Amino acid sequence: MSTVGILQSQLIDAVSEGNWNVACNCHNSLEAESRASRAGEVPYDLRHHLLCLLLAGQLENARFLVARQDRDTKRNISNYWKIGKALWKRDYQNIYAAFQASFPESYAQLIRRLEDQTREKSLQLLARAFSTIRAADASVYLGLPTDATSRFLSSKGWTSEGAFFSPPAVQPVVRASLDPGHLHNLTQFVVQLEH
């Protein structure tokens, strides 16, 4: 099997497993192979690459990917990059508005995954930032109407107190304590390494 065939196979596996960093590495290699070969000889999907970068949270790399494209190519990926720009700026209203654009069916599953991932990250942010929040305020961060936000928060274990929601209690992280025996063994090991 050729290098390109191996990369494509690894890319398919990485996407099916949701391993976005590996998918990005495969796309980076395919992009390099494509640029080094004659036009069209190596299949390379810029839109898929951009979406994988966004799913991996590699916003800087997504910006660089778009920046190195020519004007016509940028125009062809503008709907995809609107999502990236809004994510970069943390402009939640425009993030969810960009998800509503028309995308070909071949990319719709990745778009839905990215939307769900963005909503989950926003929910985690809200849980860390607020002890209580109104559903109307949370709806901005979650990209849902107020009534759908109330149902969504309830389904995620948030408690309702009138017009306000509180995140579920976070279990404190229990750190293992070092007993004197472990500390002594560690000290002896470090001393051994130094000599």
Side-chain angles (χ1 to χ4, degrees), residues 28-96:
N28 290 337
S29 298
L30 285 169
E31 180 189 16
E33 292 282 336
S34 176
R35 289 185 185 274
S37 70
R38 285 181 258 155
E41 194 173 282
V42 174
Y44 168 66
D45 189 344
L46 175 63
R47 292 178 183 119
H48 197 271
H49 188 180
L50 180 58
L51 289 172
C52 286
L53 286 167
L54 296 176
L55 280 159
Q58 297 183 22
L59 298 178
E60 298 88 1
N61 291 336
R63 285 182 65 193
F64 291 131
L65 177 68
V66 172
R68 65 179 175 258
Q69 304 306 315
D70 60 45
R71 187 178 318 184
D72 289 336
T73 304
K74 286 180 184 178
R75 204 172 306 120
N76 290 335
I77 62 170
S78 65
N79 280 349
Y80 301 85
W81 184 231
K82 282 180 186 175
I83 297 169
K85 285 191 293 191
L87 285 169
W88 179 265
K89 294 177 182 178
R90 294 190 177 116
D91 181 358
Y92 292 97
Q93 288 178 329
N94 285 328
I95 291 171
Y96 294 107

Side-chain angles (χ1 to χ4, degrees), residues 15-190:
V15 169
S16 67
E17 295 167 5
N19 192 339
W20 305 116
N21 288 319
V22 171
C24 292
N25 290 338
C26 293
H27 270 303
N28 290 337
S29 298
L30 285 169
E31 180 189 16
E33 292 282 336
S34 176
R35 289 185 185 274
S37 70
R38 285 181 258 155
E41 194 173 282
V42 174
Y44 168 66
D45 189 344
L46 175 63
R47 292 178 183 119
H48 197 271
H49 188 180
L50 180 58
L51 289 172
C52 286
L53 286 167
L54 296 176
L55 280 159
Q58 297 183 22
L59 298 178
E60 298 88 1
N61 291 336
R63 285 182 65 193
F64 291 131
L65 177 68
V66 172
R68 65 179 175 258
Q69 304 306 315
D70 60 45
R71 187 178 318 184
D72 289 336
T73 304
K74 286 180 184 178
R75 204 172 306 120
N76 290 335
I77 62 170
S78 65
N79 280 349
Y80 301 85
W81 184 231
K82 282 180 186 175
I83 297 169
K85 285 191 293 191
L87 285 169
W88 179 265
K89 294 177 182 178
R90 294 190 177 116
D91 181 358
Y92 292 97
Q93 288 178 329
N94 285 328
I95 291 171
Y96 294 107
F99 284 131
Q100 302 313 312
S102 177
F103 296 100
E105 189 57 37
S106 57
Y107 301 104
Q109 183 180 5
L110 288 177
I111 296 291
R112 282 190 298 273
R113 276 183 161 179
L114 182 57
E115 183 176 13
D116 292 344
Q117 180 185 46
T118 302
R119 189 166 284 122
E120 285 298 322
K121 285 182 178 180
S122 297
L123 183 66
Q124 292 169 7
L125 174 70
L126 292 174
R128 286 191 313 269
F130 295 97
S131 59
T132 60
I133 188 170
R134 291 180 346 161
D137 296 330
S139 69
V140 172
Y141 295 96
L142 300 174
L144 298 168
T146 304
D147 57 332
T149 298
S150 297
R151 289 190 303 274
F152 180 75
L153 292 175
S154 295
S155 74
K156 296 295 183 175
W158 288 53
T159 55
S160 173
E161 300 164 14
F164 291 89
F165 281 86
S166 299
V170 178
Q171 299 296 327
V173 177
V174 178
R175 299 194 190 272
S177 62
L178 289 177
D179 65 53
H182 288 300
L183 190 56
H184 175 72
N185 290 340
L186 182 60
T187 304
Q188 292 301 317
F189 181 72
V190 170

